[in-house]
Amino acid sequence: MPLILTEEHKKQLVIGQQYDANEPLHNMLKWRGTIFSFVINKPTAWILISIHLIFWGTWNYHTCLDTEGVRIQGCTPAQEFLKRNMYPPSLRDLAPLIGAFTFGMVFYLQSSYNIYREFYFNGHHIAGGIKNISMLVRTCFKNPDDRWNVCRFLVVSQHLLYFEVTKRRAEWHGDAAGEGEHPGSFADFGKAMQKQHLITRSERKALFNGWAGNRHMLLYSWSLETLKESLDTSPQVQAERTNVLRSTNDEAHFVTMFTTQLLALRDNTAKLHQMLLVPIPFPYYHLVETMVFFVLLLMSYSFINLNGSLEASAASHISLFVFPITVLVTNGMIEMANMMQDPLGDDIVDFNQKAYTDDLYELCEAQCLHHGSRSRDGIVPPRDQISGEWVYRSRASIETAAAA
């Protein structure tokens, strides 16, 4: 049964294009999200197909017949001229070029997929690191306000990361604030964070007006400072303490764990930034794109000689079907690789950044502010007292008794 995803489901998914691998026929008949939908508007694909049609027409159209169908004396038909001077090479003749082109294309596709995959997992590592911190903070502090004030700066950092990379991409494509996919100015972002009660007005001004360094590192510093202040201001009497740490050693160990998570978070944030700044090197990209075009250009002529013997199958027109498919598949793979290098935007393969940020915000809000206390009474499996000792019942005996 094919997957049926509502728009509400897709909003919660980082990758909205989901499919059931056990439904190959249904998947093959799809258009949206396939390589053919990527390449349909690519000019080079249609140029190559048009060139092949010109070669095919020149080869098959008799250019030396008069209006009555009689051959003109002294005229050399285009087909004879090409046979004599530019005999179409067979695919065996092009084997070295096709081999190099295939290797380069597959390597390029794999490299692009690695960028796509790393972006996906780095996004989850960043969100996962903040979730780990929210779990640690919940187990440490009793006061919801203390928990939220430690975690909120990290939530802002994640929102800021996706804002920065989207803004940079839009500006590099020539979009100004309010145009295309441009998310707006840093001032707009700061106001949005303030409206969500993630930063105060003074923090917004300090972060976006007066700070000249890395904004993520400032946010991490604020989070760590808030944590230490909450520990320092906790009363000495255990019953009155707002945290559950019982000694200075416990506090030191907790701060160390927190700092370790922050450093890992900084590493993953920087890695995601740099990954998008340095995709596949341009010389390699240029080589692959150029090689694909010129090899397919040679193949557009070679495909007239599909089976290597024009004399044996001069009337064959199978290339009119085979070559366009070859061009569409090959260019589709290249176009898919290009799209995976840039997983931001509204393309079908792009990531839903809002799913990352909404999921993290809701989880941190729950971890920090919502009530979820465990029972203080505890619970033990069924047991019997035999000869003064407690003997716990096996799981099998409990299931047998329940069935009876």
Side-chain angles (χ1 to χ4, degrees):
M1 179 82 179
L3 299 181
I4 301 175
L5 298 179
T6 64
E7 289 302 318
E8 192 62 32
H9 289 144
K10 292 179 181 179
K11 287 179 183 178
Q12 301 171 12
L13 296 171
V14 175
I15 301 177
Q17 184 76 358
Q18 300 292 325
Y19 62 94
D20 184 357
N22 295 314
E23 295 287 340
L25 183 60
H26 174 81
N27 295 331
M28 282 192 294
L29 294 176
K30 280 187 175 181
W31 174 261
R32 182 173 168 79
T34 65
I35 60 173
F36 299 109
S37 65
F38 301 159
V39 78
I40 195 69
N41 295 320
K42 191 168 183 179
T44 53
W46 296 109
I47 289 172
L48 288 165
I49 292 173
S50 300
I51 290 173
H52 178 69
L53 290 175
I54 292 171
F55 284 143
W56 173 84
T58 303
W59 186 270
N60 288 279
Y61 179 70
H62 204 299
T63 56
C64 289
L65 298 180
D66 60 19
T67 55
E68 297 179 358
V70 179
R71 179 167 177 168
I72 301 172
Q73 293 296 324
C75 178
T76 304
Q79 186 180 116
E80 291 184 14
F81 175 83
L82 292 175
K83 282 184 180 181
R84 187 183 310 133
N85 300 287
M86 296 176 59
Y87 194 86
S90 68
L91 294 181
R92 290 192 296 270
D93 299 328
L94 299 179
L97 273 178
I98 294 174
F101 140 83
T102 304
F103 173 80
M105 186 176 64
V106 170
F107 184 80
Y108 179 68
L109 182 62
Q110 182 62 42
S111 299
S112 299
Y113 175 70
N114 286 340
I115 293 175
Y116 186 80
R117 183 174 177 272
E118 284 298 314
F119 188 99
Y120 177 79
F121 284 113
N122 264 301
H124 278 292
H125 288 157
I126 291 167
I130 300 174
K131 290 175 183 178
N132 290 344
I133 288 173
S134 70
M135 180 181 66
L136 291 173
V137 169
R138 181 179 179 86
T139 59
C140 171
F141 294 108
K142 300 176 183 177
N143 189 339
D145 292 347
D146 290 340
R147 300 170 184 165
W148 182 249
N149 281 317
V150 171
C151 290
R152 64 187 176 91
F153 298 117
L154 305 181
V155 177
V156 173
S157 174
Q158 188 216 31
H159 281 73
L160 178 61
L161 169 65
Y162 293 115
F163 175 84
E164 287 174 336
V165 295
T166 304
K167 179 175 182 292
R168 182 177 64 206
R169 176 182 180 274
E171 289 174 350
W172 285 5
H173 282 82
D175 293 337
E179 297 178 356
E181 298 177 2
H182 199 293
S185 65
F186 281 109
D188 296 332
F189 173 80
K191 291 176 182 177
M193 293 296 98
Q194 187 178 342
K195 286 181 181 178
Q196 294 184 45
H197 307 289
L198 288 169
I199 54 175
T200 64
R201 188 168 181 270
S202 61
E203 289 167 348
R204 172 171 63 84
K205 288 186 174 181
L207 188 63
F208 296 110
N209 295 345
W211 183 249
N214 185 292
R215 294 186 176 94
H216 296 279
M217 296 181 72
L218 180 61
L219 288 166
Y220 300 155
S221 300
W222 285 351
S223 180
L224 186 56
E225 288 170 7
T226 305
L227 175 75
K228 290 182 176 181
E229 288 169 2
S230 298
L231 292 174
D232 292 340
T233 56
S234 187
Q236 296 302 312
V237 180
Q238 185 65 33
E240 300 176 358
R241 290 175 69 87
T242 58
N243 67 69
V244 297
L245 303 177
R246 300 189 177 185
S247 67
T248 54
N249 286 338
D250 286 346
E251 291 181 359
H253 180 62
F254 181 82
V255 171
T256 300
M257 288 194 300
F258 187 90
T259 305
T260 301
Q261 290 287 343
L262 276 187
L263 293 176
L265 188 59
R266 195 211 69 82
D267 289 344
N268 286 318
T269 300
K271 189 184 296 184
L272 191 146
H273 257 298
Q274 294 304 316
M275 188 187 313
L276 294 176
L277 282 172
V278 187
I280 305 296
F282 178 75
Y284 189 79
Y285 158 80
H286 184 267
L287 173 66
V288 170
E289 284 278 11
T290 307
M291 182 169 58
V292 166
F293 180 80
F294 282 104
V295 170
L296 287 174
L297 183 61
L298 287 172
M299 290 172 67
S300 70
Y301 188 47
S302 173
F303 264 50
I304 297 173
N305 187 9
L306 265 183
N307 61 359
S309 174
L310 290 172
E311 307 303 329
S313 58
S316 175
H317 304 303
I318 192 66
S319 66
L320 293 178
F321 302 97
V322 177
F323 184 73
I325 292 173
T326 304
V327 169
L328 292 176
V329 170
T330 304
N331 280 272
M333 291 176 69
I334 297 298
E335 191 66 17
M336 181 172 61
N338 295 341
M339 293 175 71
M340 287 195 296
Q341 286 184 57
D342 181 16
L344 305 174
D346 297 326
D347 292 331
I348 190 66
V349 298
D350 288 339
F351 296 136
N352 180 9
Q353 300 167 46
K354 201 169 184 304
Y356 276 129
T357 54
D358 287 353
D359 173 66
L360 179 66
Y361 183 91
E362 291 169 5
L363 186 137
C364 285
E365 186 181 49
Q367 285 287 89
C368 296
L369 305 178
H370 294 184
H371 176 75
S373 299
R374 62 182 175 85
S375 170
R376 299 292 177 178
D377 298 332
I379 190 172
V380 295
R383 57 187 179 176
D384 299 309
Q385 191 170 20
I386 301 175
S387 301
E389 294 184 1
W390 288 108
V391 178
Y392 293 92
R393 299 177 191 173
S394 66
R395 181 176 177 179
S397 65
I398 295 172
E399 292 175 347
T400 302

